[in-house]
Amino acid sequence: MLPKRNKLQRLSAAVAAALLLPAQALADTGAVVESDALEHVHVRETAKQHTSNYTVPASSAATGMKLTQRETPQSLSVMTERQIEDQSLDTLQEALKQTPGLYHSKMGNNATGDSNFASRGIPIDSITVDGKSKFFYESNNIRRATNNLDSALYEEITVIRGASGLANGGMGETGGTITLTRKQPRTQSAVSIGADLGSWRHTRLNLDANGALNSSKTLLGRAVIVSDHGGDYLPRSSRHNHTLYGVLAYDLSPQTRLSTGAEIHADRSSGSSRFSYLTIAGNEDDGFAPFDASPRNNSSARWAYSRDNSSEIFASVKHEFDNGWTLKGDYSYTQGRYEQLSGIAGPFVINRDFSGEFNADFGKGRLKEHNFSLKLDGSYPLFGRRHDFSAGIGYLQSKDKLSVYRDIDLPIKDLRRFDGNIAKPEFEYQSDGFENTRNLTASAATRLRLTDRWSLLAGGRYTRWQYHYATRRNKFADDTRTSRVFIPYLGTTYDFTPHLAAYASYTTVFRPQVHALDINGNPLDPQRGKTYEAGIKGAWYGGRLNAAAAVFLNRRDGLAVKAGKIDKRDYYRAENHTKNKGWELSLGGRLNERWLINTSYARSKTRDSKGNRIETSYPVHLFKLFTSYDVTDRLTLGGNVNWQSQIDTIDEYAPKEPAARAALAQRAYATLDLSAKYRLGKSTFVSLYAENVFDKKYKTMPDIHVYGTPRSYTFSVKHTF
């Protein structure tokens, strides 16, 4: 073991090299970061700016209106296609892990574990795909889907930080919303083939074909095929994922486009489960001791497996009227089947002598989802100025049918000797359960240009949300929860200069928490509250470089707080008058023609009505930086630094003994990733990406032995015809 000082010196030197290289190169070239120094940067198509940049020219993710980041009265984090490729981020989970301002934790491994994403110390449970809400409200679908959805499908990943009732299904999610934009066909024909080879027998093949299918270029098509295998650092585990995506776009007229397509996934894994060992052994009577496990200890039985199949068909029609207004209708139908056999050692209790239990469970189910939306937007004249308007309706119906089997608990004499070899039990069928959700929304908003510098955005969304359930979580109680809520939204921006603006926004909070059950097994009522945000935004070089500083305050009632355990299940109580506040800094885009950057710092805390900090499993401080520099016309080097402050699991029923508290904490840590990309010939690229260069050992959740990826390498080659 190297002394800590030497490790710190190595880390400092590497970070300095990664960060100072672009600065030195900039100095060597004599470039000056001024407006007139970059105005000559040529972008062939405005719609493609993000393919060569770390920012986007405009986005409708937060408000439903196509606004630049400076015009949007809310914080955004953007992961573009260029950054995804530069960092070899193969899955949606990996891309979100590197998104500025977003915190990631997980239970279990990458294949079958449940992912958890949070912004401002608040979980994010809402995802939209091409403007339509998906994976609603704490469902296992969102958590598992983010692990295995391939990033090759997306040209843009945007995270709205903070609540927005205008564009996320009408819920006013406090933490924010993840918005995904899938790749669309383009007129310029191109076929790219990529291959990845990485640590732990990771192989990945990717085909992306795009272009016009007729001579008039009124029929366009695009297809993406991905086959991904291995790549999990846990021994005895395997993973096989296959993805097929295709879309056709046909111009019925110069103003009307019809698009239709399909997305298919087939995921298989074995030797892995969705949880892991606890980090602590013992009890209040016998005392506590840390239960040590290495990052590569696999708590799963060898026979554990999961199978997930899903398919989606979608269609949209978009018409542009002569006056510039557009009307767009979307429909999608998704169906899926999943089956999971899990066997986990030490998930609930580890005794002082390191004996414990082995828990096995089996479940399967079917998912069906209908999703419809209709949106109208445009501009109108009033008092000598033009103003923006957007309105829409949406309907989501999701049916999840569950086949439930009785859990089995088996004793294990010494968890330290567990090697995955344990007899596979027989499972007794109990009953079928279900979770059905219906969500109807209607929204409208307008952006008034009151003066040349001052704009006001006002609107709201009405939501009728219904949840009907009968699951083992509540001992098969059959119940229906219905809520009708109006979410107002008010935002304003003021331009100090053509490049600098101040903004403020206000909205209310409504967040279902259907999987937070009270002591009787009933879901808690939805969270409600208010959220405020204000800040300053800057945009330079035609929107290719964006900076922002923000402060925020969230007040919530009904927040689910862990209150104890019953029958090995956590139960919760509702905490009122909670307060979440903090501030953020972000910078993303192009500093000059060769230097790209995407970085953020966030600070947030959540306190209860008595001023005590809660939600301690999320870091107070979070810093991310990725930068790349084109050293030559062929060679690009990049570096990525992630740092976060301490996290711990200190709640109302956690042990207070110092040894126990230490075992339930993860100290502050930083990781460093490095990348190099080289162009061979005109259209062939090879790249090398090294993750966690110094092999930092860290837990993403302090109370279970689930670790971040150890040092790993990925070699990639991509050729475009």
Side-chain angles (χ1 to χ4, degrees):
M1 291 289 293
L2 289 173
K4 290 185 178 182
R5 185 174 180 180
N6 289 342
K7 284 188 174 183
L8 290 173
Q9 289 175 343
R10 288 197 339 184
L11 176 62
S12 301
V15 172
L19 301 184
L20 292 179
L21 174 63
Q24 183 61 48
L26 183 64
D28 293 343
T29 59
V32 179
V33 185
E34 296 290 345
S35 177
D36 58 357
L38 290 180
E39 289 300 331
H40 70 281
V41 174
H42 180 64
V43 180
R44 294 184 177 180
E45 295 183 39
T46 304
K48 294 185 186 180
Q49 285 192 27
H50 60 280
T51 65
S52 61
N53 206 352
Y54 288 174
T55 189
V56 293
S59 174
S60 60
T63 65
M65 303 177 189
K66 203 73 171 179
L67 304 176
T68 67
Q69 293 196 41
R70 184 173 59 82
E71 295 171 333
T72 303
Q74 201 158 347
S75 298
L76 302 177
S77 293
V78 179
M79 178 71 70
T80 65
E81 187 177 353
R82 167 69 185 269
Q83 187 171 349
I84 293 172
E85 184 175 303
D86 284 351
Q87 295 184 256
S88 297
L89 305 174
D90 295 337
T91 66
L92 177 59
Q93 174 186 236
E94 293 173 344
L96 290 171
K97 283 168 56 179
Q98 304 298 349
T99 301
L102 204 61
Y103 172 72
H104 171 255
S105 63
K106 62 182 179 182
M107 295 188 296
N109 73 339
N110 290 339
T112 55
D114 292 347
S115 285
N116 179 30
F117 295 96
S119 175
R120 300 176 174 178
I122 301 172
I124 296 178
D125 285 313
S126 178
I127 291 183
T128 67
V129 180
D130 294 339
K132 301 187 299 296
S133 298
K134 303 281 286 185
F135 311 127
F136 255 1
Y137 316 129
E138 301 178 308
S139 75
N140 288 331
N141 295 314
I142 176 180
R143 299 180 185 277
R144 289 199 297 268
T146 55
N147 295 345
N148 296 312
L149 286 178
D150 202 281
S151 62
L153 303 184
Y154 310 108
E155 63 182 23
E156 181 185 320
I157 300 170
T158 303
V159 176
I160 307 167
R161 301 198 299 273
S164 174
L166 292 178
N168 68 345
M171 291 295 121
E173 298 274 6
T174 316
T177 301
I178 298 168
T179 66
L180 310 176
T181 303
R182 288 183 290 205
K183 294 179 177 178
Q184 295 298 315
R186 297 171 180 157
T187 55
Q188 186 175 358
S189 298
V191 177
S192 64
I193 300 176
D196 296 351
L197 295 174
S199 302
W200 310 297
R201 302 188 302 276
H202 181 209
T203 61
R204 178 174 180 266
L205 298 175
N206 174 31
L207 171 68
D208 189 343
N210 169 84
L213 302 180
N214 61 3
S215 59
S216 61
K217 297 185 178 182
T218 56
L219 179 63
L220 309 178
R222 189 162 193 170
V224 177
I225 303 173
V226 184
S227 182
D228 196 336
H229 307 268
D232 197 312
Y233 58 84
L234 290 181
R236 311 190 306 269
S237 66
S238 66
R239 181 177 69 96
H240 306 277
N241 296 338
H242 303 280
T243 300
L244 174 63
Y245 169 73
V247 58
L248 293 173
Y250 181 65
D251 292 333
L252 301 173
S253 73
Q255 295 172 281
T256 306
R257 169 167 286 193
L258 170 66
S259 299
T260 184
E263 181 179 330
I264 301 172
H265 300 273
D267 304 326
R268 302 287 186 272
S269 69
S270 62
S272 61
S273 299
R274 65 184 184 277
F275 209 72
S276 187
Y277 304 105
L278 301 180
T279 59
I280 188 174
N283 51 60
E284 296 285 354
D285 296 329
D286 301 329
F288 295 94
F291 180 77
D292 293 324
S294 97
R296 300 202 65 191
N297 278 131
N298 189 350
S299 65
S300 177
R302 294 177 180 269
W303 38 258
Y305 71 87
S306 69
R307 299 172 184 156
D308 287 272
N309 296 299
S310 66
S311 59
E312 176 190 355
I313 56 173
F314 56 89
S316 70
V317 178
K318 183 178 181 180
H319 179 76
E320 183 174 342
F321 298 93
D322 292 336
N323 60 2
W325 283 63
T326 61
L327 180 66
K328 186 172 185 282
D330 291 271
Y331 171 78
S332 66
Y333 171 73
T334 304
Q335 64 175 6
R337 292 177 177 268
Y338 57 89
E339 183 177 299
Q340 187 172 55
L341 174 60
S342 180
I344 314 166
F348 302 121
V349 176
I350 302 177
N351 300 317
R352 189 63 177 84
D353 62 355
F354 301 107
S355 63
E357 286 186 346
F358 175 87
N359 177 261
D361 66 79
F362 176 70
K364 59 183 180 180
R366 300 191 304 270
L367 171 70
K368 293 183 179 180
E369 180 181 284
H370 297 272
N371 204 325
F372 168 79
S373 66
L374 184 66
K375 182 182 178 184
L376 175 71
D377 59 70
S379 63
Y380 61 94
L382 183 68
F383 302 127
R385 299 180 180 274
R386 295 203 68 84
H387 313 277
D388 302 312
F389 179 83
S390 177
I393 57 174
Y395 178 73
L396 172 70
Q397 180 181 8
S398 177
K399 296 182 178 181
D400 198 350
K401 184 178 180 181
L402 317 167
S403 296
V404 182
Y405 295 76
R406 188 179 301 278
D407 292 0
I408 295 175
D409 295 323
L410 301 172
I412 294 182
K413 293 182 179 180
D414 192 340
L415 290 168
R416 297 171 297 182
R417 300 178 182 272
F418 181 75
D419 60 359
N421 290 311
I422 192 170
K424 180 180 175 181
E426 295 292 330
F427 295 91
E428 177 187 351
Y429 170 76
Q430 285 187 288
S431 177
D432 284 342
F434 62 86
E435 292 181 277
N436 297 337
T437 300
R438 295 183 178 182
N439 192 60
L440 175 66
T441 66
S443 65
T446 186
R447 179 173 178 259
L448 302 172
R449 294 180 171 87
L450 303 177
T451 70
D452 291 341
R453 296 187 174 187
W454 183 23
S455 294
L456 178 67
L457 199 159
R461 183 183 291 258
Y462 168 81
T463 295
R464 183 183 185 274
W465 173 78
Q466 185 179 73
Y467 177 67
H468 187 194
Y469 65 93
T471 71
R472 64 177 173 179
R473 290 178 174 271
N474 52 21
K475 301 179 181 179
F476 301 100
D478 191 339
D479 195 8
T480 299
R481 301 294 175 98
T482 302
S483 295
R484 296 175 178 87
V485 62
F486 177 75
I487 305 293
Y489 185 91
L490 186 64
T492 185
T493 61
Y494 184 82
D495 296 334
F496 294 114
T497 72
H499 304 292
L500 190 65
Y503 75 93
S505 62
Y506 161 83
T507 188
T508 57
V509 175
F510 176 82
R511 181 182 184 272
Q513 37 194 10
V514 298
H515 287 176
L517 308 182
D518 63 18
I519 193 170
N520 298 314
N522 297 313
L524 296 182
D525 292 332
Q527 294 178 28
R528 295 179 182 268
K530 300 177 180 180
T531 180
Y532 310 84
E533 182 175 331
I536 298 176
K537 291 187 177 184
W540 299 271
Y541 323 132
R544 292 185 290 275
L545 179 65
N546 290 273
V551 295
F552 56 87
L553 171 63
N554 302 303
R555 299 182 181 273
R556 292 175 291 166
D557 293 329
L559 175 65
V561 176
K562 287 184 181 180
K565 284 183 178 288
I566 184 171
D567 297 330
K568 300 177 181 179
R569 171 182 68 80
D570 292 327
Y571 68 88
Y572 298 80
R573 64 171 178 82
E575 178 74 27
N576 293 323
H577 308 297
T578 67
K579 183 185 295 184
N580 167 266
K581 64 180 181 180
W583 53 278
E584 303 169 325
L585 301 172
S586 63
L587 176 68
R590 189 175 289 277
L591 294 176
N592 64 21
E593 290 182 302
R594 294 180 175 270
W595 189 6
L596 295 173
I597 191 170
N598 202 2
T599 184
S600 68
Y601 167 79
R603 185 188 189 280
S604 63
K605 282 185 180 181
T606 302
R607 299 185 183 275
D608 62 16
S609 58
K610 300 177 182 178
N612 300 317
R613 189 185 166 214
I614 55 178
E615 305 279 29
T616 59
S617 59
Y618 301 115
V620 174
H621 307 275
L622 186 64
F623 172 77
K624 295 186 180 184
L625 166 67
F626 181 78
T627 184
S628 71
Y629 188 80
D630 296 333
V631 181
T632 69
D633 291 340
R634 294 181 178 271
L635 177 63
T636 300
L637 299 179
N640 184 64
V641 177
N642 285 343
W643 176 86
Q644 69 171 59
S645 59
Q646 178 170 310
I647 55 175
D648 50 46
T649 303
I650 305 299
D651 49 43
E652 297 180 6
Y653 67 93
K656 304 299 188 292
E657 186 177 293
R661 295 178 71 93
L664 294 172
Q666 168 61 58
R667 300 177 63 182
Y669 66 90
T671 60
L672 173 69
D673 312 323
L674 297 174
S675 63
K677 183 177 179 181
Y678 188 79
R679 180 168 60 89
L680 298 173
K682 184 178 180 181
S683 50
T684 302
F685 292 88
V686 295
S687 61
L688 178 65
Y689 183 70
E691 182 179 358
N692 195 2
V693 172
F694 295 128
D695 202 21
K696 180 65 180 180
K697 176 182 174 182
Y698 63 95
K699 295 174 292 188
T700 64
M701 298 186 70
D703 55 342
I704 58 175
H705 282 288
V706 177
Y707 293 86
T709 305
R711 179 169 53 232
S712 62
Y713 302 94
T714 301
F715 174 78
S716 304
V717 58
K718 180 181 179 181
H719 180 76
T720 302
F721 299 92

